[in-house]
Amino acid sequence: MSPQMINRLWQAFFDTLFMVGTSAVITVVVGIPLAVFLVISAPGGIIAAPLANRIIGLVVNGFRAVPFIVLMVALIPFTRMLVGTTIGVWAAIVPLSIAAIPFFARIVEVSLREVDPGLIEAAQSIGCRRSHIIRHVLLPEALPGIIGGLTITVVTMIGASAMAGAVGAGGLGDVAIRYGYQRFDTTVMVIVIVILIALVSLLQFLGDYTVRRLRNR
């Protein structure tokens, strides 16, 4: 393999890390508050708002129902308006984040709903404010599930970033398509696949390890 191709692979690897890492941060920052809202605004929640809950839930389900490749194409005008381009790493971050936020929010919502209602009732009985219940009861108790959900989300985002490479987003997917598939270079395809498998395996191991530590604390 030529030095140029090795350099391309390294650059593609770091582009993938940047795409997925930045999108993951955006997903966490938006997804967790969204999940908290869906839980506390549900009927019987600590700040019940059934109508708002239903509307936001429908929006979340709508984005989750759209395949990533379709969503990426549909968001092209929005992506161009936001980052000024529709190709490259930054252009991929927009659809990656928008696709991951509702997915992650639903996983976090499930984890929050599994928190023992008795803990919430106990906090309410001693006069804790709603914000304190969210910060000191709901989120800490659901943290192992949130970390597990984030691991699943990031692994899914790695696959989506490779798919985004097929339409000029850069990263490992772009190298696999342009230099592996289109040029019939099996070596490049195999290397990209091995890198993706190693990356996913490492992330899954770290996520599982963190969840075990949190549950055994």
Side-chain angles (χ1 to χ4, degrees):
M1 183 177 294
S2 67
Q4 292 86 353
M5 181 53 66
I6 293 174
N7 290 334
R8 286 193 188 100
L9 284 168
W10 275 112
Q11 185 60 50
F13 175 71
F14 289 121
D15 284 347
T16 296
L17 289 183
F18 182 75
M19 273 192 291
V20 174
T22 304
S23 300
V25 170
I26 295 171
T27 297
V28 169
V29 170
V30 179
I32 290 179
L34 179 59
V36 169
F37 174 80
L38 289 170
V39 171
I40 65 176
S41 65
I46 59 176
I47 312 177
L51 180 59
N53 180 276
R54 195 174 300 113
I55 292 172
I56 298 299
L58 286 173
V59 173
V60 169
N61 290 339
F63 277 100
R64 286 183 62 205
V66 180
F68 176 72
I69 191 70
V70 176
L71 181 65
M72 186 167 54
V73 173
L75 288 173
I76 284 176
F78 178 71
T79 301
R80 183 184 292 112
M81 179 186 70
L82 203 61
V83 299
T85 181
T86 58
I87 59 173
V89 172
W90 281 106
I93 289 172
V94 176
L96 274 175
S97 302
I98 292 176
I101 287 168
F103 178 79
F104 179 61
R106 284 302 189 188
I107 295 178
V108 175
E109 180 188 5
V110 171
S111 298
L112 292 170
R113 291 190 187 282
E114 290 177 349
V115 174
D116 185 357
L119 294 175
I120 299 174
E121 292 172 2
Q124 289 175 321
S125 68
I126 61 175
C128 286
R129 289 185 293 181
R130 293 163 179 170
S131 59
H132 288 170
I133 293 174
I134 293 169
R135 290 201 308 268
H136 301 297
V137 179
L138 275 176
L139 291 176
E141 290 296 321
L143 189 56
I146 293 173
I147 297 299
L150 180 60
T151 303
I152 295 171
T153 303
V154 172
V155 168
T156 303
M157 289 167 67
I158 291 174
S161 72
M163 189 187 307
V167 291
L172 290 168
D174 180 54
V175 170
I177 294 295
R178 283 201 294 153
Y179 298 98
Y181 176 73
Q182 293 179 353
R183 299 187 183 184
F184 304 101
D185 192 333
T186 305
T187 302
V188 172
M189 290 290 289
V190 170
I191 290 174
V192 170
I193 291 171
V194 169
I195 292 173
L196 289 172
I197 291 174
L199 184 57
V200 167
S201 299
L202 177 62
L203 286 170
Q204 191 66 56
F205 170 78
L206 292 175
D208 292 344
Y209 175 78
T210 304
V211 169
R212 286 197 302 270
R213 290 294 300 271
L214 288 171
R215 285 179 175 166
N216 294 329
R217 62 186 175 179

